[in-house]
Amino acid sequence: MAPPAAAAAAAVTLGGKGAALIPAAVYALSLGLADPAIDPSALQRLSTRGPSPQDTPASLRDLALSPPESRAAAAVLLNKLLLTAGDSSALVTAATATALAGSLDLAAALPPASRDEAAVAAASAPVAVALAAAIDCCASPLVRVADAVAALSCEAARGDVAAFDVPTSGDGLSAKDEADVAADVKMLLFGSKLVGAAGGADAASFTKVPTVNGIFREAVRALHARVRIELNAPVKLGKRDAVQTGEGKEEALVALATQLARPVQAMLKLSVARARLCVGRIDDAELRKKLTDGVEIDDLKGMLDKVTIDSDAVSVLRGVYNSLLKFRDILAWEAAVAMAVIEMDSSIEKPQAGGENEAGSSTENLQATGEKPKGDKKSKKKKTLGKGTSAVLMLLRDHVTNGKEVISVNSALLAEWGTELSLLFDPKCPRLVSLVDKVKEIVETNEVRRLPKIPKGTRDFGKEQMAIRERAFSIITSVFKMHGAVSLDTPVFELRETLMGKYGEDSKLIYDLADQGGELCSLRYDLTVPFARYVAMNNISSLKRYQIAKVYRRDNPSKGRYREFYQCDFDIAGVYETMEPDFEVIKVLTELLDQLDIGAYEIKLNHRKLLDGMLEICGVPPEKFRTVCSSIDKLDKQTFEQVKKELVDEKGISNETADNIGDLVKTRGPPLEVLLELRKEGSKFMGNAGSVTALNELEILFRALDKANAIGKIVFDLSLARGLDYYTGVIYEAVFKGTTQVGSIAAGGRYDNLVGMFSGKQVPAVGVSLGIERVFAIMEQQEMEKNQIRATETEVLVSIIGKDLILAAELVSELWNAGIKAEFKLTTRIQNHLKYATQSGIPWMVLVGESEISSGKVKLKNLAASQEEEADRTEFAQVLKQKLRNP
């Protein structure tokens, strides 16, 4: 069946303001399916001067172009001349433009009639752009068609649907196009009873589809973006050499086209392999042999190499175009084979127009005749295709059969189907748009994900969990405010330059946002760096603030470790007496953990200057202090032997130095006792200036904490390193000691230089960050063990034994007006009221039935005490208020 003829009146307007020339229009013009028309306003801007012939640009001389290539190149050049004339004072003659529009022959513009025309012709590379537009136009629909045909072959060959299980990591490290192809094919196969888990050596024909087709998508998108620019950007005359500009455009298009040719070649070979798999399902040995011999894979070898070794751009682009056409033919042949296999398989239920199928038709025939088919004692249930592949099959079958019934399948019919489908996959066929739109509609319905999932490392919080979170936030906020802190909020994303270089090796965990053509931004990693940026940007010299907000880290999710989580930060910025703010921050941390009542914990504490002194004593070069600290920081998760291996093998530290570090990092214990040990006579630390300073500061801190009754939970631990680059003084980390394993629950330290990184003005600061998600995990576990989680704070349930909303509204409003937290429920079953109140933990009920309505009273029920009493309707709200306030 031949494609319908194009409309005779089709026209493509060129040179219009705001209009864009698209590759499909260039393709239609090249085949004579449309005619060019110059925009009237563009024609007015052209010169009426006589021609002043110039030399034909070298790139346009002696070209052996086919008529379609010449027409396409002429259309591109005409549009470029019109756009350039409208964008500048370029001299483009009306005679040249009208001649090109009339004949659509590149020769009509040669030799150029003015110097500007010659420059535009040389700089615009019209032949290369025209060929690239043809490649783009033919490749773009194949993005969807190739996926649909692969899905159809998967049905016919009973392929392995697991081949399309391609996870997305959400962290920028997975190939988006690969994942999209896999998701689209799975959507097309959704509901299929044919595909399974075939596995085996032949599975590669389907396993490779997401990767190869994904790379094809990426290449098509890149070429399309460039072609769109080259078709519609005016030439800037006088800026650069026109010849070199044109050559640069040709080289860019060749690079993108050859980048496209590689996946085309791979897809072509996969298409042949899948078709042969489908042929293997055919019982007829003779037909199977004819189809297998139909295409020789050896014929395809060397095709790409021949394309890419040609020296001139036109030959390369023409070769890529021909390679694409070859792939289109092979893809059509694969689709024809898959259709034939499905058609001949009597165990498959064939889709019919109008949503009917063969099984349905048989049922209708049975109902109409009242007879049962002979030998059909019990009809065997047929297997169904996927919803998407059923729709695709109907479209393809309707095209090749024109609605006629298929009597039998043979090699001649298959060859005819292959030819018709190749014509269907050509952009000049109007039905191709319907096919592509149908595939797009199917994959975008998202039916396969009816039960959606959330990204790894994130959580949803139900009503019970939110009740715990709100209680925790209330406690945390009250502690912060008790110390005079003010609230602050900052954007969830920052300029990337703000965050980079502040986190050491952890910088790799920063989530970068896609560039939207403006500033490079990243999601905030913590709240400390944004706080320092805020202080510097607003020239603040002193501030005590708290902030509770979400942060984001591209980490490997595990128990208690998330990619999106809340942090609760308390920071003091400004110049104070030695250890004054450090003491208060640590005191705040102990108060938080005590009032949250999570159980046993300890706060490990160290000093960055003491740590640096220790590394210097052990023989670590100063330039390696920070990277060695990152390794030491892993001692809470790894053994020293594992850390030592990293230090020696990856960080270049000698075995002796590593062993020295191992001896010292074992030092831990009660703060004042360890301090005394480190300061005793003969201690190596007392010979290091930085260590002496740190020990003097720690003495002041420990004595202050001791007087504040806060030192009991502190452990002086020389293995604590904190890998972040910005710490300069005291560092600390709180660790939960209970049965729930969550790791660190809070951390912080002094960072005197961070603000200065942004403004040059040093503003010392110290702070702590509570890892609230891990605290929530502990609190949730405790509440579940106690079975005391209440999602609401409802005090009273107004239970109407019936369906009288008016009465319920009157009674519950009295409670709300009295400041009582109340709900209401309408049902005739008293047990439903009691069950709801008990499950919700509501302590009081107001029961109103027919007897209460007639007597003007209500019944008050105390669920905990199982006691009931009556109250007058006019006074029940005040009675309840008194009982709730004085239980």
Coordinates of all heavy atoms in Angstrom, one line a residue, residues 60-119:
L60 N 30.8 25.0 -2.7 CA 29.6 24.8 -3.5 C 30.0 24.5 -5.0 O 29.1 24.5 -5.8 CB 28.7 26.0 -3.4 CG 28.1 26.4 -2.0 CD1 27.2 27.6 -2.1 CD2 27.4 25.2 -1.4
R61 N 31.2 24.4 -5.2 CA 31.7 24.1 -6.6 C 31.7 22.6 -6.9 O 32.0 21.8 -6.0 CB 33.1 24.7 -6.9 CG 33.1 26.2 -6.8 CD 34.6 26.6 -7.0 NE 34.8 28.0 -6.6 CZ 36.0 28.5 -6.2 NH1 37.0 27.7 -6.3 NH2 36.1 29.7 -5.8
D62 N 31.4 22.3 -8.1 CA 31.5 20.9 -8.6 C 30.9 19.9 -7.7 O 31.4 18.8 -7.5 CB 33.0 20.5 -8.8 CG 33.8 21.5 -9.7 OD1 33.2 22.0 -10.7 OD2 34.9 21.9 -9.4
L63 N 29.7 20.2 -7.3 CA 29.0 19.3 -6.4 C 28.0 18.4 -7.3 O 27.3 18.9 -8.1 CB 28.1 20.0 -5.4 CG 28.9 20.7 -4.3 CD1 27.9 21.5 -3.4 CD2 29.6 19.7 -3.4
A64 N 28.1 17.1 -7.1 CA 27.2 16.2 -7.8 C 26.1 15.8 -6.9 O 26.1 14.8 -6.2 CB 28.0 14.9 -8.2
L65 N 25.1 16.7 -6.9 CA 24.0 16.6 -6.0 C 22.8 16.0 -6.7 O 22.5 16.3 -7.9 CB 23.5 17.9 -5.4 CG 24.6 18.7 -4.6 CD1 24.0 20.0 -4.1 CD2 25.1 17.9 -3.4
S66 N 22.0 15.1 -6.0 CA 20.8 14.6 -6.5 C 19.8 15.7 -6.5 O 19.9 16.7 -5.7 CB 20.3 13.4 -5.7 OG 20.0 13.8 -4.4
P67 N 18.7 15.6 -7.3 CA 17.7 16.6 -7.2 C 17.1 16.9 -5.8 O 17.0 18.1 -5.4 CB 16.6 16.1 -8.2 CG 17.3 15.3 -9.2 CD 18.4 14.6 -8.4
P68 N 16.8 15.9 -5.0 CA 16.3 16.2 -3.6 C 17.4 16.9 -2.8 O 17.0 17.8 -2.0 CB 16.0 14.8 -3.1 CG 15.8 13.9 -4.2 CD 16.7 14.4 -5.3
E69 N 18.7 16.5 -3.0 CA 19.7 17.2 -2.2 C 19.8 18.7 -2.6 O 20.0 19.5 -1.8 CB 21.0 16.5 -2.4 CG 21.1 15.1 -1.8 CD 22.4 14.3 -2.1 OE1 23.0 14.7 -3.2 OE2 22.7 13.4 -1.5
S70 N 19.7 18.9 -3.9 CA 19.8 20.3 -4.4 C 18.7 21.1 -3.9 O 18.8 22.3 -3.6 CB 19.9 20.3 -6.0 OG 20.0 21.6 -6.5
R71 N 17.4 20.5 -4.0 CA 16.3 21.3 -3.5 C 16.4 21.6 -2.0 O 16.1 22.7 -1.6 CB 15.0 20.4 -3.7 CG 14.6 20.3 -5.2 CD 13.4 19.4 -5.4 NE 12.2 19.9 -4.7 CZ 11.3 20.7 -5.2 NH1 11.5 21.2 -6.4 NH2 10.3 21.1 -4.5
A72 N 16.8 20.6 -1.2 CA 17.0 20.9 0.2 C 18.0 22.0 0.5 O 17.8 22.9 1.3 CB 17.4 19.6 0.9
A73 N 19.2 21.9 -0.2 CA 20.2 22.9 0.0 C 19.8 24.3 -0.5 O 20.1 25.3 0.2 CB 21.5 22.5 -0.8
A74 N 19.0 24.3 -1.5 CA 18.5 25.6 -2.0 C 17.5 26.2 -1.0 O 17.6 27.4 -0.7 CB 17.8 25.4 -3.4
A75 N 16.7 25.4 -0.4 CA 15.8 25.9 0.6 C 16.5 26.4 1.9 O 16.2 27.5 2.4 CB 14.8 24.8 1.1
V76 N 17.6 25.7 2.3 CA 18.4 26.1 3.4 C 19.0 27.5 3.1 O 19.0 28.4 3.9 CB 19.4 25.1 3.8 CG1 20.4 25.6 4.8 CG2 18.7 23.8 4.3
L77 N 19.6 27.6 1.9 CA 20.3 28.8 1.5 C 19.4 30.0 1.4 O 19.7 31.1 1.9 CB 21.1 28.6 0.2 CG 21.9 29.8 -0.3 CD1 22.9 30.3 0.7 CD2 22.6 29.5 -1.6
L78 N 18.2 29.7 0.8 CA 17.2 30.8 0.7 C 16.8 31.3 2.0 O 16.7 32.5 2.3 CB 16.0 30.3 -0.1 CG 14.8 31.2 -0.2 CD1 15.2 32.5 -0.9 CD2 13.6 30.5 -1.0
N79 N 16.5 30.4 3.0 CA 16.1 30.8 4.3 C 17.2 31.6 5.0 O 17.0 32.6 5.7 CB 15.8 29.6 5.2 CG 15.0 30.0 6.4 OD1 14.0 30.7 6.4 ND2 15.5 29.5 7.6
K80 N 18.5 31.2 4.8 CA 19.6 31.9 5.4 C 19.8 33.3 4.8 O 20.1 34.3 5.5 CB 20.9 31.1 5.2 CG 21.1 29.9 6.1 CD 21.4 30.4 7.5 CE 21.8 29.2 8.4 NZ 22.2 29.7 9.7
L81 N 19.6 33.4 3.5 CA 19.7 34.7 2.9 C 18.6 35.7 3.4 O 18.9 36.9 3.7 CB 19.6 34.6 1.3 CG 20.8 33.9 0.6 CD1 20.4 33.6 -0.8 CD2 22.0 34.8 0.6
L82 N 17.4 35.2 3.5 CA 16.3 36.0 4.0 C 16.5 36.4 5.5 O 16.3 37.6 5.8 CB 15.0 35.3 3.8 CG 14.6 34.9 2.4 CD1 13.3 34.0 2.4 CD2 14.3 36.2 1.6
L83 N 16.9 35.5 6.3 CA 17.2 35.8 7.7 C 18.3 36.8 7.9 O 18.2 37.7 8.7 CB 17.5 34.5 8.5 CG 16.3 33.5 8.6 CD1 16.9 32.2 9.3 CD2 15.2 34.0 9.5
T84 N 19.4 36.6 7.1 CA 20.5 37.5 7.3 C 20.2 38.9 6.8 O 20.6 39.9 7.4 CB 21.7 37.0 6.5 OG1 22.0 35.6 6.9 CG2 22.9 37.8 6.7
A85 N 19.4 39.0 5.7 CA 18.9 40.3 5.2 C 18.1 41.0 6.2 O 18.1 42.3 6.4 CB 18.2 40.1 3.9
G86 N 17.3 40.3 7.0 CA 16.4 40.9 8.0 C 17.1 41.2 9.2 O 16.7 42.1 10.0
D87 N 18.2 40.5 9.5 CA 19.0 40.7 10.8 C 20.0 41.9 10.7 O 20.4 42.4 11.7 CB 19.7 39.4 11.1 CG 20.4 39.5 12.5 OD1 19.7 39.7 13.5 OD2 21.7 39.4 12.5
S88 N 20.5 42.1 9.4 CA 21.5 43.2 9.2 C 21.2 43.9 7.9 O 20.2 43.7 7.3 CB 22.9 42.5 9.2 OG 22.9 41.6 8.1
S89 N 22.2 44.7 7.6 CA 22.0 45.5 6.3 C 22.7 44.7 5.1 O 23.1 45.3 4.2 CB 22.7 46.9 6.5 OG 24.0 46.7 6.8
A90 N 22.7 43.4 5.2 CA 23.3 42.6 4.2 C 22.6 42.8 2.8 O 21.4 42.9 2.8 CB 23.3 41.1 4.6
L91 N 23.4 42.9 1.8 CA 22.9 43.1 0.4 C 22.5 41.7 -0.2 O 23.4 41.0 -0.6 CB 23.9 43.8 -0.4 CG 23.5 44.0 -1.9 CD1 22.2 44.9 -2.0 CD2 24.6 44.7 -2.7
V92 N 21.2 41.4 -0.1 CA 20.7 40.2 -0.8 C 19.7 40.7 -1.8 O 18.7 41.4 -1.5 CB 20.0 39.3 0.3 CG1 19.4 38.1 -0.4 CG2 21.0 38.9 1.3
T93 N 19.9 40.2 -3.0 CA 19.0 40.7 -4.1 C 17.7 39.9 -4.2 O 17.7 38.7 -3.9 CB 19.7 40.6 -5.5 OG1 20.0 39.2 -5.8 CG2 21.0 41.3 -5.4
A94 N 16.7 40.7 -4.5 CA 15.3 40.0 -4.7 C 15.4 39.0 -5.8 O 14.7 38.0 -5.8 CB 14.3 41.1 -5.0
A95 N 16.2 39.3 -6.8 CA 16.3 38.4 -8.0 C 16.8 37.0 -7.6 O 16.3 36.0 -8.0 CB 17.2 39.0 -9.1
T96 N 17.8 37.0 -6.7 CA 18.4 35.7 -6.3 C 17.3 35.0 -5.5 O 17.1 33.8 -5.6 CB 19.6 36.0 -5.4 OG1 20.6 36.6 -6.2 CG2 20.2 34.6 -4.9
A97 N 16.7 35.7 -4.6 CA 15.7 35.0 -3.7 C 14.5 34.4 -4.5 O 14.1 33.3 -4.3 CB 15.2 36.0 -2.7
T98 N 14.0 35.2 -5.4 CA 12.8 34.8 -6.2 C 13.2 33.6 -7.2 O 12.5 32.7 -7.4 CB 12.2 35.9 -7.0 OG1 13.2 36.6 -7.8 CG2 11.5 36.9 -6.1
A99 N 14.5 33.7 -7.7 CA 14.9 32.6 -8.5 C 15.1 31.3 -7.8 O 14.7 30.2 -8.2 CB 16.3 33.0 -9.2
L100 N 15.6 31.4 -6.5 CA 15.7 30.2 -5.7 C 14.3 29.7 -5.3 O 14.1 28.4 -5.4 CB 16.5 30.6 -4.4 CG 18.0 30.4 -4.4 CD1 18.6 30.9 -3.1 CD2 18.4 29.0 -4.7
A101 N 13.4 30.5 -5.0 CA 12.1 30.1 -4.6 C 11.3 29.5 -5.8 O 10.6 28.5 -5.6 CB 11.3 31.2 -4.0
G102 N 11.6 30.0 -6.9 CA 10.9 29.5 -8.1 C 11.3 28.2 -8.6 O 10.5 27.3 -8.9
S103 N 12.7 28.0 -8.6 CA 13.2 26.7 -9.1 C 13.6 25.7 -8.0 O 13.6 24.5 -8.3 CB 14.4 27.0 -9.9 OG 15.5 27.6 -9.1
L104 N 13.8 26.2 -6.8 CA 14.4 25.4 -5.7 C 15.5 24.6 -6.2 O 15.6 23.4 -5.9 CB 13.3 24.6 -5.1 CG 13.5 24.3 -3.6 CD1 13.5 25.6 -2.8 CD2 12.3 23.5 -3.0
D105 N 16.4 25.2 -6.9 CA 17.6 24.6 -7.4 C 18.8 25.4 -6.9 O 18.8 26.6 -7.1 CB 17.6 24.5 -8.9 CG 18.8 23.8 -9.5 OD1 19.7 23.4 -8.8 OD2 18.8 23.6 -10.8
L106 N 19.8 24.8 -6.3 CA 20.9 25.5 -5.8 C 21.6 26.3 -6.8 O 22.2 27.4 -6.6 CB 21.9 24.5 -5.1 CG 23.0 25.1 -4.3 CD1 22.5 26.0 -3.1 CD2 23.9 24.0 -3.7
A107 N 21.6 25.8 -8.1 CA 22.3 26.5 -9.1 C 21.8 27.9 -9.4 O 22.5 28.7 -9.9 CB 22.3 25.6 -10.4
A108 N 20.5 28.1 -9.0 CA 19.8 29.4 -9.2 C 20.5 30.5 -8.4 O 20.3 31.7 -8.8 CB 18.4 29.3 -8.9
A109 N 21.2 30.1 -7.4 CA 21.9 31.2 -6.5 C 23.3 31.3 -6.9 O 24.0 32.1 -6.2 CB 21.7 30.8 -5.1
L110 N 23.8 30.6 -7.9 CA 25.2 30.7 -8.2 C 25.4 31.2 -9.7 O 24.6 30.8 -10.6 CB 25.8 29.3 -8.1 CG 25.7 28.6 -6.7 CD1 26.2 27.2 -6.8 CD2 26.4 29.4 -5.7
P111 N 26.4 32.0 -9.9 CA 27.3 32.6 -8.9 C 26.5 33.6 -8.1 O 25.5 34.2 -8.5 CB 28.4 33.3 -9.7 CG 27.7 33.6 -11.0 CD 26.7 32.5 -11.3
P112 N 26.9 33.9 -6.8 CA 26.3 34.9 -6.0 C 26.2 36.2 -6.7 O 27.1 36.7 -7.4 CB 27.1 34.9 -4.7 CG 27.9 33.6 -4.7 CD 28.1 33.3 -6.2
A113 N 25.1 37.0 -6.4 CA 24.9 38.3 -7.1 C 25.5 39.4 -6.3 O 25.4 40.6 -6.7 CB 23.4 38.5 -7.3
S114 N 26.0 39.2 -5.1 CA 26.7 40.2 -4.3 C 27.7 39.6 -3.4 O 27.7 38.4 -3.2 CB 25.6 41.0 -3.5 OG 25.1 40.2 -2.4
R115 N 28.6 40.5 -2.8 CA 29.6 40.0 -1.9 C 28.9 39.4 -0.7 O 29.4 38.4 -0.1 CB 30.5 41.1 -1.5 CG 31.8 40.7 -0.9 CD 32.7 41.9 -0.5 NE 32.9 42.7 -1.7 CZ 33.5 43.9 -1.6 NH1 33.9 44.4 -0.5 NH2 33.6 44.7 -2.7
D116 N 27.9 40.0 -0.2 CA 27.2 39.5 1.0 C 26.6 38.1 0.7 O 26.6 37.2 1.6 CB 26.1 40.5 1.5 CG 26.8 41.7 2.1 OD1 28.0 41.7 2.4 OD2 26.0 42.7 2.3
E117 N 26.0 38.0 -0.5 CA 25.4 36.7 -0.8 C 26.5 35.6 -0.8 O 26.2 34.5 -0.4 CB 24.7 36.7 -2.2 CG 23.4 37.5 -2.1 CD 22.7 37.4 -3.5 OE1 23.1 36.6 -4.3 OE2 21.7 38.2 -3.7
A118 N 27.6 35.9 -1.4 CA 28.7 35.0 -1.4 C 29.2 34.6 0.0 O 29.4 33.4 0.3 CB 29.9 35.5 -2.2
A119 N 29.2 35.6 0.9 CA 29.6 35.3 2.3 C 28.6 34.4 3.0 O 28.9 33.5 3.7 CB 29.8 36.6 3.1

